[in-house]
Amino acid sequence: MSAIALLMGLLVLSYLGSLLVGTGKTRGLASGIEFIGLGFAVGPHALGLVERPMITEFEPIVQVALGWLAFVVGLDFGRVEGRRVGTTSTALGIACAVITGLFVAVAVYVMLELVPVGLGRASGVILAAGAGAIGAETARNAVEWVQGRWGAKGPVSSLLVDIGAADDLAPLVAAGAIFAVAPSPGVALSLPAWGWFGAAVALGALLGTVTALLLRGAEDDAVWGALIGTLLLGVGVAARFGLSTIFVTFVMGIALAAASPSRRALRKIVNPTERAVLYPMLLLAGARLDPRPVLENRMLLALVALVLLARIFGKIVSGFVVRAAAPAARPAGAWLGIVLLSSGPVSTACGFVFALRFPGPVGDTLLLCAVASAVLGELVSTLSLKAMLTEAGEIVAAPASSGAVRGASVPPPPPSSSSGVAMADAADAADAPGDEKEPVA
Amino acid sequence: MSAQTAKGIRTRAYDALSLAIVFALLWFSTTLGPGAQDAASLVAGLGFLLLAGTLTSELIEVLRVPHLTGYLVAGMVAGPHVLHLISHESVKRLEPVNTLTLALIALAGGCELRVDALRAGLRSLAVAMVVQSVLGLLVVGSVFMIAAPAMIPFAKDMPLAAVFGVALLWGVLAISRSPSATLGVLSQTRAQGPLTTFTLGFVMSSDVVVVILLAGAIGVARPLMDPSAVLSLQAFGALGHEIVGSVAVGTTLGLILAVYLKLIGRQLLVVLIALGFGATEVLRYLHFDPVLAFLVAGFVVQNLSKQGDRFMHAIEGASGVVYVVFFASAGAHLDLPLLKDLWPVALLLAGSRALVTFGAAKLSSRIANDPPRIRTWGWAPLISQAGLTLGLSAVIAREFPAFGESFRALAIATVAMNEVAGPIFFKLALDRTEESRGHAPALAEADEPEPRAP
């Protein structure tokens, strides 16, 4: 397959993704693993239609796509469907991600200490920390997918969406911190890890502010130029120093949302691009997936299994924490943590940036961990979430025949008007008094 | 972000500060970071060109020069000949952007050609085309011949017949215009009026005329330089195949686009990118001219369907970003050391071309009895030269390897001058004739209040 053919394939995926905006949240699988599977199938380790050098040739596009996804997450951070996520939900989301990430990282680190897998100490630390970053997330897409497909509405589902939206912070910050430990070799500047981390934050914040300045009074046509220009510069500079591109653009998105008076208009024009960028990225992630290191070294395979187990354990503990802290979550039952296992774009993006930055066993294993987490979440979390929400009374059981028809073809009503009200109510119920709300314009 | 937008000192200061930050970031990255030829450098360079081009154009707007000049200046300053912030390799790797830009330019150019307007100005266009082509070819070719023994190193030792052949090729090069610069300036000014219509019609159709003339000139010049060669009509056969094939494919593409716009009409950005890369590749594989095919496709959408305005709007939306990168990378690509060496002869040739363009425009306007605007300013849009001319010089270099590279170097030096000066004259003409229009709505104007859940 030629580079142009691959590009056309990616554009077709992008086209399909952009067609699904708005009504497409329930189409396909919640995590998008079918695109990863497709990428793997056409990639160099299966059918071989896309060869490794071609994937390398597309690396700049991949870096930019990953950066764009993190930028969109940053720009919309702390918001769901246009409303602001309460402080309590945000804190819970971050706490859950940190708990799970720590479980995974410590488990991997201990295993690497006990069982030699042929990696150096520094690589081992990066592998353990990277696994923690990748294992931390709960994908809000999965909850939204269930909400959309079965019309779930109520305090539990809206709390889960909020948690899923807030916990993106942890893996992205973790990626920023881990990359700061290992800047590019050959950089003519010596800084401690915290210095590089600070540099990444400063770079993102600076570019976000510059973007806000550029957008002051900018014509509609010039907006894309400013956004794409600052994003490219941020990704390029970060990549040259070996900093985490997704962390820099995530900070950039947050800074832009904070500094620009046009933040709402920006979100409106940027959010629809998410799927158009996501699907090609997932396909390339699948094509980049290299199972050989794991197949050749059985201990790495065991490590992937350990990551999944630790993630399950961490999420179960997180579920208990959520139930203890948020009364709205109590109807969810003791196995709330299982439904938090869903994993999606942020984890895959994290895995992909690790694979690009640390090629070889470390990067390949981490990308495999991300994909395995997504598969596990898809198998376990989505259906258990549906069962849990049905039990909690947030999904009204439909007659078998109509349910079958509905599930098969007809997209459910988007959770906008009435369900949006319910979510806002639920958030108000779940959050402590005094949470900051979006001012009414 | 247009000339019509009144900007305060504070906004200018913000622009200057942002430009300083952007330069500083790339400077730090280039100075302290490893590997100037890696993918990260390419991405950073692309982002820099986009930002620095936009900001420079905003800052020099006070001089009433077109944005395009700002893009060129930013690229030149940051490029491999001045500050070395962007390497030669990065500039070369940005060539796919040029492919996309040329496709968009051609589609937009075709879309701008309306049959009724062309029919109304047909006499004016035909007279201008003939007068500009004949006088341009004769006068600039003659200047080249006169200057050759004293000022043009590669032609000094050539026999007279060979010099005549090279002068003929140079004459054809001199009558080529710049569709990209034309559309770049029109995209900024959103101009409308007789001068704009005349310019679009002339520049787009001259593209086809020049390609045909070049094929003829190559056929004539070859036996003059190589006595063993004979005048061959083979080149015309291939050219005919290329032109007819390109028109046929372009018509088909235009009809498909019109149907798509009518029945689906969504995600035009993705469609345009796919056309820019995918269709260009297919057309090259078929040995057709992508620029001509896209020009025809745009023309068909505009004139054989009701989707022209919609399509044009989509192209304008996509072209904003690519124009900046295209011209900024062209600025970075300008070979300033070469210009330093060749500036006297380049200035002579560019100056004589500008003068003959001016004179020919006056003469053709008088013959065709053009309206006053075209009579006064009809020459101004025809000074610019850019990618098309460089492409033609590359063809000549390939056909005549004995002197081709030196010829191409001289063309690059001349184009550099026309590329910088031409858009300034064109913008001046549009401003003076008041064909420039207001700016597009700002982001803040589109910023509606976000609905809040009760």
Side-chain angles (χ1 to χ4, degrees):
Chain A
M1 189 187 282
S2 72
I4 286 290
L6 177 58
L7 179 65
M8 290 299 114
L10 295 175
L11 284 171
V12 168
L13 280 185
S14 178
Y15 182 85
L16 292 176
S18 53
L19 281 182
L20 294 182
V21 170
T23 58
K25 281 183 178 173
T26 59
R27 303 266 172 90
L29 296 173
S31 60
I33 52 166
E34 67 269 38
F35 294 103
I36 299 177
L38 176 65
F40 183 73
V42 300
H45 305 294
L47 296 175
L49 295 174
V50 178
E51 291 153 0
R52 189 80 182 208
M54 205 183 295
I55 300 172
T56 309
E57 203 175 310
F58 274 75
E59 204 173 286
I61 295 174
V62 172
Q63 290 277 19
V64 174
L66 292 167
W68 183 260
L69 289 173
F71 169 73
V72 174
V73 171
L75 190 66
D76 210 24
F77 182 68
R79 273 163 207 288
V80 172
E81 300 281 344
R83 70 184 166 82
R84 192 167 286 181
V85 177
T87 314
T88 312
S89 303
T90 305
L92 267 177
I94 295 169
C96 288
V98 170
I99 289 168
T100 312
L102 281 176
F103 267 114
V104 174
V106 169
V108 172
Y109 183 76
V110 170
M111 180 187 164
L112 291 173
E113 285 291 303
L114 297 176
V115 187
V117 294
L119 296 173
R121 185 170 174 78
S123 296
V125 171
I126 289 170
L127 182 58
I134 284 163
E137 184 211 17
T138 293
R140 74 168 161 177
N141 309 45
V143 189
E144 287 175 338
W145 189 87
V146 171
Q147 273 188 330
R149 181 152 281 212
W150 288 291
K153 54 182 176 183
V156 178
S157 51
S158 59
L159 177 67
L160 291 177
V161 171
D162 289 358
I163 287 174
D167 74 352
D168 293 340
L169 179 85
L172 292 167
V173 171
I178 296 163
F179 277 52
V181 174
S184 288
V187 174
L189 179 68
S190 181
L191 286 177
W194 62 264
W196 285 116
F197 184 75
V201 174
L203 178 62
L206 188 66
L207 285 172
T209 312
V210 166
T211 315
L213 287 177
L214 286 171
L215 294 178
R216 288 168 61 95
E219 286 170 16
D220 225 1
D221 291 350
V223 172
W224 285 109
L227 290 177
I228 296 172
T230 42
L231 184 98
L232 291 172
L233 187 60
V235 168
V237 172
R240 284 199 80 173
F241 288 108
L243 302 174
S244 167
T245 51
I246 53 172
F247 176 59
V248 168
T249 53
F250 174 68
V251 174
M252 188 183 138
I254 292 177
L256 176 59
S260 174
S262 306
R263 59 183 76 87
R264 289 173 192 156
L266 278 174
R267 287 190 191 109
K268 273 183 193 166
I269 62 169
V270 164
N271 281 346
T273 63
E274 192 178 6
R275 272 166 193 263
V277 176
L278 178 64
Y279 289 170
M281 187 277 282
L282 291 174
L283 182 111
L284 286 170
R288 181 72 169 71
L289 201 61
D290 186 357
R292 283 176 310 177
V294 175
L295 295 177
E296 286 165 7
N297 186 343
R298 295 299 165 92
M299 291 319 296
L300 287 178
L301 193 60
L303 191 143
V304 174
L306 179 67
V307 166
L308 297 182
L309 283 173
R311 179 170 156 77
I312 293 171
F313 190 68
K315 286 297 178 191
I316 289 173
V317 173
S318 300
F320 286 121
V321 172
V322 172
R323 287 189 69 221
R330 286 186 191 143
W335 296 99
L336 174 66
I338 292 295
V339 304
L340 295 175
L341 273 173
S342 59
S343 176
V346 172
S347 289
T348 311
C350 269
F352 209 168
V353 290
F354 276 104
L356 292 171
R357 175 70 185 84
F358 304 102
V362 172
D364 291 333
T365 307
L366 288 174
L367 181 57
L368 196 62
C369 286
V371 174
S373 293
V375 174
L376 176 73
E378 198 62 64
L379 292 174
V380 176
S381 169
T382 313
L383 291 177
S384 59
L385 177 60
K386 188 207 167 193
M388 189 201 76
L389 292 178
T390 307
E391 203 168 306
E394 297 192 8
I395 294 178
V396 180
S401 56
S402 65
V405 170
R406 186 178 182 182
S409 60
V410 182
S416 54
S417 53
S418 60
S419 56
V421 174
M423 286 197 292
D425 289 345
D428 286 343
D431 295 335
D435 275 358
E436 196 183 359
K437 299 280 184 258
E438 180 81 318
V440 179
Chain B
M1 288 189 156
S2 78
Q4 286 71 25
T5 316
K7 287 192 169 176
I9 293 175
R10 180 187 284 193
T11 309
R12 301 277 179 212
Y14 282 143
D15 286 346
L17 176 67
S18 301
L19 184 61
I21 290 171
V22 166
F23 261 97
L25 273 178
L26 193 69
W27 183 80
F28 274 117
S29 156
T30 310
T31 314
L32 303 174
Q37 274 92 50
D38 56 4
S41 304
L42 176 70
V43 174
L46 188 59
F48 170 84
L49 288 177
L50 192 48
L51 290 174
T54 307
L55 288 164
T56 308
S57 70
E58 296 289 324
L59 284 170
I60 63 170
E61 203 179 63
V62 289
L63 304 173
R64 303 191 67 79
V65 293
H67 285 177
L68 199 152
T69 309
Y71 309 153
L72 287 169
V73 169
M76 266 190 273
V77 172
H81 302 298
V82 183
L83 292 181
H84 310 282
L85 296 178
I86 296 172
S87 65
H88 271 298
E89 289 71 21
S90 293
V91 176
K92 286 197 98 166
R93 287 179 70 185
L94 287 174
E95 276 172 8
V97 178
N98 297 354
T99 305
L100 180 61
T101 313
L102 290 174
L104 291 177
I105 284 169
L107 282 169
C111 242
E112 294 279 9
L113 296 175
R114 289 177 166 83
V115 167
D116 46 356
L118 285 176
R119 201 177 285 147
L122 191 59
R123 180 179 149 78
S124 174
L125 280 176
V127 171
M129 189 67 70
V130 171
V131 175
Q132 286 284 357
S133 302
V134 172
L135 285 185
L137 201 66
L138 287 177
V139 176
V140 182
S142 303
V143 171
F144 187 95
M145 274 200 79
I146 294 164
M151 298 178 77
I152 301 172
F154 68 88
K156 269 181 187 166
D157 302 326
M158 280 184 178
L160 190 63
V163 174
F164 179 76
V166 183
L168 184 66
L169 295 170
W170 188 267
V172 174
L173 216 58
I175 58 172
S176 65
R177 319 290 165 185
S178 172
S180 55
T182 305
L183 288 172
V185 174
L186 290 179
S187 156
Q188 180 205 338
T189 56
R190 294 163 202 276
Q192 267 188 349
L195 181 64
T196 306
T197 309
F198 168 80
T199 303
L200 282 166
F202 186 91
V203 172
M204 295 305 158
S205 44
S206 77
D207 184 4
V208 183
V209 172
V210 167
V211 170
I212 295 168
L213 283 178
L214 182 65
I218 288 174
V220 173
R222 198 182 298 282
L224 292 173
M225 287 170 220
D226 179 6
S228 63
V230 290
L231 188 63
S232 165
L233 292 178
Q234 197 180 356
F236 285 98
L239 181 69
H241 172 259
E242 185 179 326
I243 289 175
V244 173
S246 305
V247 170
V249 172
T251 307
T252 313
L253 193 60
L255 291 174
I256 292 170
L257 277 170
V259 172
Y260 177 83
L261 285 160
K262 185 173 170 59
L263 297 181
I264 302 173
R266 293 178 65 187
Q267 316 309 333
L268 291 175
L269 177 65
V270 180
V271 173
L272 288 171
I273 295 173
L275 276 179
F277 290 116
T280 301
E281 193 70 13
V282 172
L283 285 161
R284 282 184 184 154
Y285 177 76
L286 297 173
H287 296 290
F288 293 151
D289 181 10
V291 173
L292 182 58
F294 287 129
L295 197 72
V296 173
F299 182 82
V300 167
V301 172
Q302 179 64 264
N303 295 288
L304 298 185
S305 77
K306 293 177 181 171
Q307 311 298 327
D309 290 342
R310 193 177 180 193
F311 191 48
M312 191 66 212
H313 185 70
I315 297 170
E316 280 174 354
S319 58
V321 172
V322 290
Y323 277 169
V324 183
V325 177
F326 178 75
F327 286 107
S329 61
H333 211 76
L334 280 183
D335 197 338
L336 297 179
L338 184 76
L339 187 60
K340 194 177 162 190
D341 291 341
L342 295 175
W343 75 266
V345 64
L347 185 64
L348 174 71
L349 293 168
S352 60
R353 177 182 175 274
L355 278 177
V356 77
T357 302
F358 179 84
K362 294 284 177 191
L363 179 64
S364 64
S365 288
R366 182 174 290 232
I367 296 170
N369 199 19
D370 284 336
R373 279 184 196 183
I374 298 176
R375 199 175 284 193
T376 313
W377 292 103
W379 59 273
L382 312 183
I383 302 295
S384 299
Q385 282 188 311
L388 176 66
T389 315
L390 295 179
L392 296 176
S393 70
V395 171
I396 295 169
R398 198 173 56 233
E399 293 289 329
F400 300 97
F403 64 92
E405 280 311 313
S406 306
F407 183 93
R408 195 173 169 206
L410 185 58
I412 291 170
T414 315
V415 167
M417 293 180 175
N418 292 327
E419 194 174 15
V420 173
I424 296 174
F425 286 123
F426 186 27
K427 168 89 175 12
L428 179 72
L430 291 173
D431 288 345
R432 290 289 171 87
T433 53
E434 296 182 340
E435 290 194 9
S436 301
R437 285 195 296 154
H439 62 97
L443 178 68
E445 291 164 27
D447 192 3
E448 296 161 14
E450 197 167 41
R452 183 183 187 276

